[in-house]
Amino acid sequence: MDIKLIALDMDGTTLQKDYMSISDRTRNVLAKAIAKGIHVVPSTGRILGQLPESVVSIPGINYAVTSNGAAVTNLKTKEVISSNYLGSGSVKKIMKTLTRRNIFCEIYYQGQSYGERRYFEMISKRNELSKELIAFIRSNATAVDDVLDFTIAHASEIEKINIPLLSEKNHRVLWQKFSQIHGVTLTKAIANNIEVNHRLANKGAGLKQLCRILKLEAGNVMAIGDSDNDLRMLEFAGLSVAMGNASEEIKAIANHVTLPFYEDGVADAIEKFVLV
């Protein structure tokens, strides 16, 4: 296949266990792909401000699909070249439910993450969370005094609402409740979290918009991912690869399965299917 764009999920795919770094092998392989004229595009549920320096510092990475496709950004100019925000009505319904139930959430707005101050203090005391995860959440978000007021004030430009660290009961109840809201789609990247986007926002749609701008076809795209929020991206790509640590659903729809992220599955797949 004539691959001209490689779309990469971040967590559980390209990044290592610290949520921030990539291996030397992966970095070298990505640089080789870029040298061949291939676009390497981080395609993630993260907001722009959470893209790790280990990835965006690689020369030639010029575009990113973030917030599950709610925003596509030119990294050189910082211009959002495609967007699909949640919508004021949906945002207000979701936020009122979460604040009434006293549930922590992260608000993705203009490439940054926001959360209520008291919840960040609470997270630091949860012994079941790894130090790396706590550090990641705290270092990449801005604390506000009242997340409901903040969100309603910016309701027309919310990229995504991320609801992590849920109990099984709350996850089940909220998933059922929010599924009934017209105009939203729910997905998840890890267990016990819910990611809420506009119903037309997904990684596949974001990549489709970027390909239109770059004048590429789906057949020119290789996508690599591991989780539910990678499903549409893998379906869109002409060549889809699931990580060895991916869910069984993702493995079933992918063209190929590579090694797990902790064995450099991304590098292995690119070497096998592109750098030949």
Side-chain angles (χ1 to χ4, degrees):
M1 298 183 69
D2 185 18
I3 300 300
K4 296 181 178 179
L5 187 153
I6 301 172
L8 297 176
D9 173 51
M10 293 287 100
D11 299 287
T13 299
T14 307
L15 301 178
Q16 299 193 322
K17 293 180 181 180
D18 61 2
Y19 302 98
M20 297 298 291
S21 64
I22 60 174
S23 70
D24 290 339
R25 180 187 175 192
T26 297
R27 184 181 181 89
N28 290 335
V29 166
L30 295 183
K32 288 179 181 178
I34 292 168
K36 288 187 65 172
I38 296 169
H39 296 280
V40 173
V41 180
S43 301
T44 177
R46 297 184 181 205
I47 31 78
L48 185 66
Q50 290 178 339
L51 288 179
E53 186 66 17
S54 62
V55 175
V56 296
S57 65
I58 299 174
I61 293 187
N62 299 323
Y63 301 95
V65 175
T66 56
S67 296
N68 288 335
V72 180
T73 303
N74 182 320
L75 297 177
K76 285 187 174 181
T77 65
K78 304 303 180 186
E79 177 191 4
V80 177
I81 55 180
S82 177
S83 62
N84 208 334
Y85 301 135
L86 256 173
S88 299
S90 300
V91 166
K92 291 173 182 177
K93 289 178 184 177
I94 291 162
M95 290 308 300
K96 287 178 180 178
T97 297
L98 294 176
T99 53
R100 186 168 61 247
R101 293 172 179 262
N102 202 30
I103 292 175
F104 169 68
C105 66
E106 297 172 300
I107 307 303
Y108 289 5
Y109 166 71
Q110 291 191 347
Q112 298 297 322
S113 175
Y114 299 84
E116 196 156 305
R117 195 178 313 280
R118 62 192 177 104
Y119 289 118
F120 290 118
E121 296 169 354
M122 175 190 70
I123 285 172
S124 299
K125 300 174 183 177
R126 291 184 59 168
N127 295 327
E128 77 274 20
L129 304 179
S130 68
K131 292 180 180 179
E132 291 83 3
L133 181 57
I134 292 173
F136 171 72
I137 293 173
R138 289 181 61 88
S139 66
N140 290 280
T142 299
V144 297
D145 291 328
D146 191 311
V147 72
L148 178 61
D149 286 350
F150 174 86
T151 307
I152 289 178
H154 303 288
S156 62
E157 295 182 79
I158 301 300
E159 297 173 17
K160 187 178 88 170
I161 298 174
N162 187 48
I163 314 163
L165 313 175
L166 291 167
S167 67
E168 289 187 12
K169 179 182 178 181
N170 279 336
H171 188 278
R172 183 174 61 253
V173 170
L174 291 176
W175 192 284
Q176 182 178 20
K177 187 176 184 66
F178 294 159
S179 294
Q180 298 172 5
I181 298 176
H182 178 71
V184 308
T185 187
L186 309 182
T187 187
K188 62 180 180 179
I190 57 175
N192 298 324
N193 91 309
I194 299 175
E195 302 178 21
V196 188
N197 283 96
H198 186 278
R199 66 180 181 86
L200 298 179
N202 60 72
K203 293 183 184 183
L207 281 174
K208 184 176 182 179
Q209 289 301 312
L210 179 58
C211 284
R212 181 181 59 80
I213 292 168
L214 297 176
K215 295 180 170 42
L216 300 178
E217 303 292 334
N220 300 130
V221 177
M222 175 186 187
I224 311 177
D226 74 305
S227 298
D228 290 358
N229 67 344
D230 298 316
L231 179 63
R232 300 303 180 194
M233 173 176 79
L234 296 173
E235 289 178 335
F236 170 75
L239 177 59
S240 57
V241 180
M243 300 299 293
N245 51 280
S247 65
E248 292 305 312
E249 179 186 13
I250 295 301
K251 289 179 180 178
I253 64 98
N255 300 131
H256 302 279
V257 177
T258 187
L259 299 171
F261 76 91
Y262 46 83
E263 295 181 18
D264 288 337
V266 163
D268 192 73
I270 294 173
E271 287 173 339
K272 185 176 295 182
F273 300 116
V274 180
L275 301 180
V276 291

